[in-house]
Amino acid sequence: MAETEGVSELRGRARELSVLVDAFRSTSVGQAGAVLVGGDAGVGKSSLVAEFVRHAREREAVVLVGSAIDIADAPPFWPVLSAIRGAVRVAPDDHSRTMLREWSRRLPQAQSDGGARPAQPVRLLDVVTQLITELAERRPVVLVTEDLQWADRSTRDLVAYLVATLTHEPVLVVATYRNDSPGSTPGLSSALAELRRHQKVTAMEVAPLPRAVVAELVAHWAPGRPELEQLVWQRSAGNAFIAEETVRAVLGGDAHGLPTTLREIVLSRVALLSPTARQVVRAIAIGVGPLRHQLLAAVIDLPAAGLLESIREAVAHGIASVDENGYGYRLRHGLMTEVVVGDLLPGERIDLHRRYALALSDSHVAQPGFAAQIAHHWYEADEPEPALSAGVAAARASEGVHAHAEACRHWLRAAELVALVAGEPPGISRTTCLDRAARAAELAGDHDVAVKLLDQLLGDQDQPSGLPAALLHARKGRALAALGLVAEAEQTYRAATALLPVDGAEAERAQVLAAHSGTLLQAMDFAGARTVALRALSLVPRAKATTVEARILAVLGFSLAYLEDAAAGAAAIAEGLAVAERTGEPEAIGEAYLRRAELLAGPLNQLVEGVAFARQGVERMQSLGLARTAGVALLTYAANALFRLGQWEDARRAVAQAWELAPSGAAALDVRLARCRIDLGQGKLDAAAVDLEAVELLARSTTGPRQRIPLLVLLSALKLWRRDPAAALQQVDEGLAVAEAGADDLWSVAPLVWHGTRAWADIATAGEVPPTAQVQRVRHHCAELARRAEDTVPAVRAVIEAFIVMSLAEMARAEGAPDPLGWERAADTWERHRQPYPAAYSRMRQAEALLARQPRSAEAADALRGAGTVARRLGALPLLDDIADLATRARIPLDEPASPDPPSAESSTPINRLTTRELEVLHELAKGLTNREIAQRLFISDKTVSVHVARIFTKIGVHSRVQASAVLQRSRPQA
């Protein structure tokens, strides 16, 4: 086969191979990326990836190759963990080998941070990311996950997490999947769709081979047998695996013609083996993943020499193969495995599963992470008692590595098995298993599953009342709130409260009400949160629940400060902080700091005080070991406040400090959004898009307004700066729909409304007509802002009113009646609030509105120069471009103009005969604008435009607008 830059080209796959090689080149120079490789079963994905893996290893990359396994009880993170173990043997240097060996020991035990006291859970996502990042400090890293359609949820989450988290590390993620499987794997289709949207991801489909390539392959496999080409093409239709198997069957001496199905092709090949080799092939097929020789020897009752000879026979016939990492054996293709397993008799399957379960339970064979495999084999062996015991062990092992989705599945299997076991084992009742499954589902973010399981638990109760039922309802309320179903969550919390005993249980009642109030606060129902928090607070003296009291005061203080009395709210939060400090509960202390900093740096607009308090809180969180959680959130609040103050470089430093702490989950999303605000302001639109795509990817299941509204505000801003106001208006429309679901946080909704009116105005001034329904929705919400702002405290109301003034001025711009006084009022308001960025934007619009009324306005020139000065100081390049464009059209020098050089004799062309203003008119004319539109753009009268056009035609010797445009086009430098 031909060689291209050291890569042997697979026949018919040169293009696909080049995609992977190009992605690897980009990765090698410090640009993290990912390639999704889809295709039908047997089409050649594995061969393609194997060739690429050889290419990467030849260039001394650290290559981690793992395959998912087709069993429901796959161990969590199996492809990645097995890839790390297997890579030890083929690591390119001693340093990488040592790291991989150490991490292969550490990963299964990644359950705590090693501190003296119980720590925040260390998610394996972060741990694996840390390993890959450390490996990439010396060499490029390639992580290959094959058969994503069979991968456990944790592995799919890891792929998405790496794509969203890695930026400039030399890391390439490659994942293969079957096209015919995504729909049958829950959540895979949506996960693939989200991944494809990310700009770091290249999606590639491996299509069947064309007939010409199949003919070449047949000639290569069976020289001198051209008559086979027609038969092979009929059988395979370009499927590489079926094509090869067809040729193998013919060359193997099938005298009666080829079988008509893939199943028959495979079984006819297996039938050629000796009885012991067939026995080995069946055992390999029923196993899970690449089988270590020691495990296979424990399952197959053969002498060592006989086993080795049988394995060699299966490999020689192309049925079995050695795993790519040298880790063990597997059948050569997944399709072959499916056929062999499907052909086993029931008794054969049960016996082999039982043998595997016994062998894996042997301490000499078992390894970390095999608990799930043991459970799988006992279950398939129809042995409910050991299957239950192993299933519970597998569930607890999954919980230990925070693979909560897998833990949920194991607990559900255990609940099924309990009924089949004679005498319920102690501590493993069906109710216990369902309860643990529900908790695991909550932690995995599968809140819909948690709701169903909690409903099942409530339905199983003989008396669905009393304290246990109340606490189950409270958990259901939390899961519903996480789904964004706030109304249903509130009803469920009310039901939980009603089920509590009339007398006693004050502590539980306080906990239920505190959780209810916190959920309402997160859902932006501040009034409801205040009411419920007050009820919870009244129970604290009797319940003696000081930790709960601290949390209640934090919720109550935030609501009071926002809706009623800023001073009283601040006092309540301060009291909550004091209570938390007395109890020494770190999470309660952190929550009090967060609520106070969020208020000051946000709705109350006390930005300087907010930054100072947030920085104080960061130091306190560091002393409590909460730097990566509450500390990151406080840095984010500080960064957002610094951005509003116009201290953008300080804001960027705060973001960098937060990012260095390696935040995860919601904290990481907030840091990305904070960084995105700065990037959008400074015109780093591609970088902002990367962060926004990552947030969308990681928060795809989030429906709550607290997360969605800021994301949609920034998405609409990105579309506006990319000059796509129609797309921006669509993002705003989606955000307003979220707000309508129930949100008291008008402070967050206000910028969304302004972006909507701005997009509307941009569409209208471009001469287009925006969708009526979207415009009416924006107009309605603007009126609602004005009405509902009256119910907020003065500090919050002042900021909301500034956005309302801007929105009304944008509406006037959209309707062709620019309002300079409205824009002046908006600019004055923002300057009073010490927020220079929106003030500069408002000054620019003020100048634009003044020029529309009076083209030679000194007031407009002053406003425009002031806006330019601020934008230049901030580094707000997109805004500065708009200001400069307006200044050019209005002929207002922002700085002292330089004296133009006189034209040389050589440059004398028709275009050079035009004055500066005539050239400006010609440029607008060439865009296809009418005289009226040119007049509006250049702030001159229609009559003046007509005079300029006539002079242009005379000077350049043309008689039409089309001819004038052609002269302008010819005068431009050719590329």
Side-chain angles (χ1 to χ4, degrees), residues 280 284 288-294 296-297 307-308 311 315 320-323 326-331:
V280 168
I284 294 174
V288 174
L291 293 175
R292 293 174 299 113
H293 183 83
Q294 184 183 10
L296 185 60
L307 175 60
L308 287 172
I311 295 171
V315 171
S321 65
V322 178
D323 178 65
Y327 186 70
Y329 311 118
R330 61 167 72 241
L331 296 194

mmCIF file of all heavy atoms in Angstrom, residues 280 284 288-294 296-297 307-308 311 315 320-323 326-331:
data_model
loop_
_atom_site.group_PDB
_atom_site.id
_atom_site.type_symbol
_atom_site.label_atom_id
_atom_site.label_comp_id
_atom_site.label_asym_id
_atom_site.label_seq_id
_atom_site.Cartn_x
_atom_site.Cartn_y
_atom_site.Cartn_z
ATOM 1 N N VAL A 280 -12.926 -22.363 23.092
ATOM 2 C CA VAL A 280 -12.232 -21.141 23.497
ATOM 3 C C VAL A 280 -12.912 -19.917 22.890
ATOM 4 O O VAL A 280 -13.107 -18.901 23.569
ATOM 5 C CB VAL A 280 -10.741 -21.206 23.086
ATOM 6 C CG1 VAL A 280 -10.078 -19.840 23.237
ATOM 7 C CG2 VAL A 280 -10.010 -22.243 23.914
ATOM 8 N N ILE A 284 -14.448 -16.738 24.881
ATOM 9 C CA ILE A 284 -14.024 -15.345 24.662
ATOM 10 C C ILE A 284 -15.234 -14.483 24.337
ATOM 11 O O ILE A 284 -15.358 -13.349 24.812
ATOM 12 C CB ILE A 284 -12.971 -15.274 23.535
ATOM 13 C CG1 ILE A 284 -11.684 -15.988 23.957
ATOM 14 C CG2 ILE A 284 -12.673 -13.828 23.164
ATOM 15 C CD1 ILE A 284 -10.645 -16.076 22.850
ATOM 16 N N VAL A 288 -16.280 -10.341 28.965
ATOM 17 C CA VAL A 288 -16.521 -8.896 28.927
ATOM 18 C C VAL A 288 -15.207 -8.184 28.656
ATOM 19 O O VAL A 288 -14.280 -8.267 29.454
ATOM 20 C CB VAL A 288 -17.130 -8.410 30.256
ATOM 21 C CG1 VAL A 288 -17.236 -6.896 30.257
ATOM 22 C CG2 VAL A 288 -18.496 -9.042 30.467
ATOM 23 N N GLY A 289 -15.128 -7.498 27.512
ATOM 24 C CA GLY A 289 -13.921 -6.747 27.205
ATOM 25 C C GLY A 289 -12.771 -7.671 26.861
ATOM 26 O O GLY A 289 -12.936 -8.891 26.720
ATOM 27 N N PRO A 290 -11.580 -7.116 26.714
ATOM 28 C CA PRO A 290 -10.409 -7.954 26.440
ATOM 29 C C PRO A 290 -10.129 -8.866 27.627
ATOM 30 O O PRO A 290 -10.035 -8.413 28.770
ATOM 31 C CB PRO A 290 -9.285 -6.936 26.228
ATOM 32 C CG PRO A 290 -9.749 -5.694 26.888
ATOM 33 C CD PRO A 290 -11.243 -5.691 26.786
ATOM 34 N N LEU A 291 -10.018 -10.173 27.366
ATOM 35 C CA LEU A 291 -9.865 -11.159 28.437
ATOM 36 C C LEU A 291 -8.396 -11.432 28.712
ATOM 37 O O LEU A 291 -7.653 -11.822 27.802
ATOM 38 C CB LEU A 291 -10.551 -12.471 28.045
ATOM 39 C CG LEU A 291 -12.062 -12.432 27.920
ATOM 40 C CD1 LEU A 291 -12.564 -13.765 27.415
ATOM 41 C CD2 LEU A 291 -12.690 -12.103 29.252
ATOM 42 N N ARG A 292 -8.001 -11.239 29.950
ATOM 43 C CA ARG A 292 -6.635 -11.608 30.334
ATOM 44 C C ARG A 292 -6.476 -13.122 30.261
ATOM 45 O O ARG A 292 -7.422 -13.876 30.498
ATOM 46 C CB ARG A 292 -6.334 -11.100 31.741
ATOM 47 C CG ARG A 292 -6.269 -9.581 31.841
ATOM 48 C CD ARG A 292 -6.114 -9.111 33.280
ATOM 49 N NE ARG A 292 -7.240 -9.535 34.096
ATOM 50 C CZ ARG A 292 -7.157 -10.405 35.080
ATOM 51 N NH1 ARG A 292 -5.987 -10.959 35.389
ATOM 52 N NH2 ARG A 292 -8.215 -10.729 35.788
ATOM 53 N N HIS A 293 -5.299 -13.560 29.914
ATOM 54 C CA HIS A 293 -5.053 -14.996 29.748
ATOM 55 C C HIS A 293 -5.353 -15.749 31.045
ATOM 56 O O HIS A 293 -5.927 -16.848 31.027
ATOM 57 C CB HIS A 293 -3.599 -15.225 29.319
ATOM 58 C CG HIS A 293 -3.296 -16.672 29.054
ATOM 59 N ND1 HIS A 293 -3.582 -17.292 27.857
ATOM 60 C CD2 HIS A 293 -2.752 -17.633 29.864
ATOM 61 C CE1 HIS A 293 -3.232 -18.571 27.930
ATOM 62 N NE2 HIS A 293 -2.717 -18.798 29.132
ATOM 63 N N GLN A 294 -4.987 -15.146 32.179
ATOM 64 C CA GLN A 294 -5.193 -15.813 33.466
ATOM 65 C C GLN A 294 -6.679 -16.084 33.701
ATOM 66 O O GLN A 294 -7.056 -17.156 34.190
ATOM 67 C CB GLN A 294 -4.637 -14.937 34.589
ATOM 68 C CG GLN A 294 -4.719 -15.572 35.970
ATOM 69 C CD GLN A 294 -4.210 -14.629 37.051
ATOM 70 O OE1 GLN A 294 -3.978 -13.453 36.789
ATOM 71 N NE2 GLN A 294 -4.050 -15.140 38.262
ATOM 72 N N LEU A 296 -9.089 -16.303 31.338
ATOM 73 C CA LEU A 296 -9.565 -17.296 30.375
ATOM 74 C C LEU A 296 -9.150 -18.699 30.796
ATOM 75 O O LEU A 296 -9.934 -19.659 30.680
ATOM 76 C CB LEU A 296 -9.004 -16.970 28.979
ATOM 77 C CG LEU A 296 -9.511 -17.840 27.823
ATOM 78 C CD1 LEU A 296 -11.020 -17.720 27.678
ATOM 79 C CD2 LEU A 296 -8.818 -17.442 26.526
ATOM 80 N N ALA A 297 -7.935 -18.841 31.327
ATOM 81 C CA ALA A 297 -7.466 -20.149 31.791
ATOM 82 C C ALA A 297 -8.304 -20.653 32.960
ATOM 83 O O ALA A 297 -8.527 -21.869 33.096
ATOM 84 C CB ALA A 297 -5.993 -20.051 32.194
ATOM 85 N N LEU A 307 -4.632 -24.968 25.755
ATOM 86 C CA LEU A 307 -5.312 -23.666 25.678
ATOM 87 C C LEU A 307 -4.568 -22.732 24.731
ATOM 88 O O LEU A 307 -5.179 -22.080 23.868
ATOM 89 C CB LEU A 307 -5.409 -23.054 27.077
ATOM 90 C CG LEU A 307 -5.980 -21.638 27.151
ATOM 91 C CD1 LEU A 307 -7.398 -21.583 26.607
ATOM 92 C CD2 LEU A 307 -5.943 -21.115 28.589
ATOM 93 N N LEU A 308 -3.236 -22.671 24.883
ATOM 94 C CA LEU A 308 -2.453 -21.790 24.026
ATOM 95 C C LEU A 308 -2.574 -22.188 22.553
ATOM 96 O O LEU A 308 -2.691 -21.340 21.667
ATOM 97 C CB LEU A 308 -0.988 -21.805 24.456
ATOM 98 C CG LEU A 308 -0.666 -21.071 25.770
ATOM 99 C CD1 LEU A 308 0.769 -21.328 26.185
ATOM 100 C CD2 LEU A 308 -0.906 -19.575 25.608
ATOM 101 N N ILE A 311 -5.935 -21.065 21.237
ATOM 102 C CA ILE A 311 -5.976 -19.613 21.005
ATOM 103 C C ILE A 311 -5.243 -19.277 19.710
ATOM 104 O O ILE A 311 -5.724 -18.482 18.893
ATOM 105 C CB ILE A 311 -5.359 -18.859 22.198
ATOM 106 C CG1 ILE A 311 -6.206 -19.059 23.459
ATOM 107 C CG2 ILE A 311 -5.236 -17.362 21.887
ATOM 108 C CD1 ILE A 311 -5.561 -18.539 24.725
ATOM 109 N N VAL A 315 -6.726 -17.393 16.402
ATOM 110 C CA VAL A 315 -6.097 -16.181 15.861
ATOM 111 C C VAL A 315 -5.700 -16.410 14.411
ATOM 112 O O VAL A 315 -5.895 -15.540 13.542
ATOM 113 C CB VAL A 315 -4.877 -15.779 16.714
ATOM 114 C CG1 VAL A 315 -4.087 -14.662 16.036
ATOM 115 C CG2 VAL A 315 -5.329 -15.344 18.106
ATOM 116 N N ALA A 320 -10.227 -14.836 16.450
ATOM 117 C CA ALA A 320 -9.807 -14.142 17.675
ATOM 118 C C ALA A 320 -8.622 -13.238 17.351
ATOM 119 O O ALA A 320 -7.966 -13.378 16.318
ATOM 120 C CB ALA A 320 -9.431 -15.149 18.757
ATOM 121 N N SER A 321 -8.368 -12.298 18.246
ATOM 122 C CA SER A 321 -7.215 -11.405 18.071
ATOM 123 C C SER A 321 -6.712 -10.991 19.438
ATOM 124 O O SER A 321 -7.422 -11.104 20.449
ATOM 125 C CB SER A 321 -7.597 -10.165 17.254
ATOM 126 O OG SER A 321 -8.537 -9.379 17.957
ATOM 127 N N VAL A 322 -5.479 -10.522 19.444
ATOM 128 C CA VAL A 322 -4.908 -9.978 20.676
ATOM 129 C C VAL A 322 -5.309 -8.515 20.767
ATOM 130 O O VAL A 322 -5.251 -7.788 19.770
ATOM 131 C CB VAL A 322 -3.376 -10.124 20.681
ATOM 132 C CG1 VAL A 322 -2.775 -9.505 21.942
ATOM 133 C CG2 VAL A 322 -2.999 -11.596 20.574
ATOM 134 N N ASP A 323 -5.733 -8.095 21.934
ATOM 135 C CA ASP A 323 -6.157 -6.706 22.134
ATOM 136 C C ASP A 323 -5.034 -5.748 21.735
ATOM 137 O O ASP A 323 -3.851 -6.054 21.888
ATOM 138 C CB ASP A 323 -6.534 -6.500 23.606
ATOM 139 C CG ASP A 323 -6.928 -5.082 23.897
ATOM 140 O OD1 ASP A 323 -7.957 -4.634 23.357
ATOM 141 O OD2 ASP A 323 -6.201 -4.419 24.637
ATOM 142 N N GLY A 326 -2.276 -5.250 23.983
ATOM 143 C CA GLY A 326 -1.640 -6.447 24.502
ATOM 144 C C GLY A 326 -2.203 -6.866 25.844
ATOM 145 O O GLY A 326 -1.559 -7.596 26.601
ATOM 146 N N TYR A 327 -3.440 -6.398 26.134
ATOM 147 C CA TYR A 327 -4.008 -6.626 27.465
ATOM 148 C C TYR A 327 -4.685 -7.986 27.562
ATOM 149 O O TYR A 327 -4.796 -8.560 28.626
ATOM 150 C CB TYR A 327 -5.015 -5.512 27.754
ATOM 151 C CG TYR A 327 -5.592 -5.526 29.146
ATOM 152 C CD1 TYR A 327 -4.799 -5.193 30.237
ATOM 153 C CD2 TYR A 327 -6.917 -5.887 29.378
ATOM 154 C CE1 TYR A 327 -5.321 -5.205 31.517
ATOM 155 C CE2 TYR A 327 -7.448 -5.905 30.645
ATOM 156 C CZ TYR A 327 -6.642 -5.557 31.724
ATOM 157 O OH TYR A 327 -7.157 -5.565 32.982
ATOM 158 N N GLY A 328 -5.160 -8.508 26.444
ATOM 159 C CA GLY A 328 -5.864 -9.784 26.496
ATOM 160 C C GLY A 328 -6.389 -10.171 25.132
ATOM 161 O O GLY A 328 -5.916 -9.690 24.104
ATOM 162 N N TYR A 329 -7.386 -11.043 25.112
ATOM 163 C CA TYR A 329 -7.945 -11.557 23.870
ATOM 164 C C TYR A 329 -9.361 -11.023 23.672
ATOM 165 O O TYR A 329 -10.080 -10.745 24.614
ATOM 166 C CB TYR A 329 -8.000 -13.091 23.896
ATOM 167 C CG TYR A 329 -6.716 -13.757 24.321
ATOM 168 C CD1 TYR A 329 -6.662 -14.547 25.468
ATOM 169 C CD2 TYR A 329 -5.544 -13.602 23.573
ATOM 170 C CE1 TYR A 329 -5.485 -15.172 25.862
ATOM 171 C CE2 TYR A 329 -4.365 -14.216 23.961
ATOM 172 C CZ TYR A 329 -4.338 -14.992 25.112
ATOM 173 O OH TYR A 329 -3.178 -15.593 25.504
ATOM 174 N N ARG A 330 -9.760 -10.964 22.402
ATOM 175 C CA ARG A 330 -11.136 -10.644 22.050
ATOM 176 C C ARG A 330 -11.400 -11.251 20.683
ATOM 177 O O ARG A 330 -10.465 -11.604 19.957
ATOM 178 C CB ARG A 330 -11.363 -9.128 22.003
ATOM 179 C CG ARG A 330 -10.503 -8.412 20.971
ATOM 180 C CD ARG A 330 -10.972 -6.989 20.717
ATOM 181 N NE ARG A 330 -10.682 -6.106 21.824
ATOM 182 C CZ ARG A 330 -11.618 -5.459 22.525
ATOM 183 N NH1 ARG A 330 -12.893 -5.633 22.225
ATOM 184 N NH2 ARG A 330 -11.286 -4.642 23.500
ATOM 185 N N LEU A 331 -12.663 -11.390 20.327
ATOM 186 C CA LEU A 331 -12.970 -11.783 18.964
ATOM 187 C C LEU A 331 -12.688 -10.607 18.051
ATOM 188 O O LEU A 331 -12.745 -9.451 18.458
ATOM 189 C CB LEU A 331 -14.422 -12.251 18.847
ATOM 190 C CG LEU A 331 -14.780 -13.521 19.636
ATOM 191 C CD1 LEU A 331 -16.119 -14.077 19.167
ATOM 192 C CD2 LEU A 331 -13.706 -14.595 19.533
#
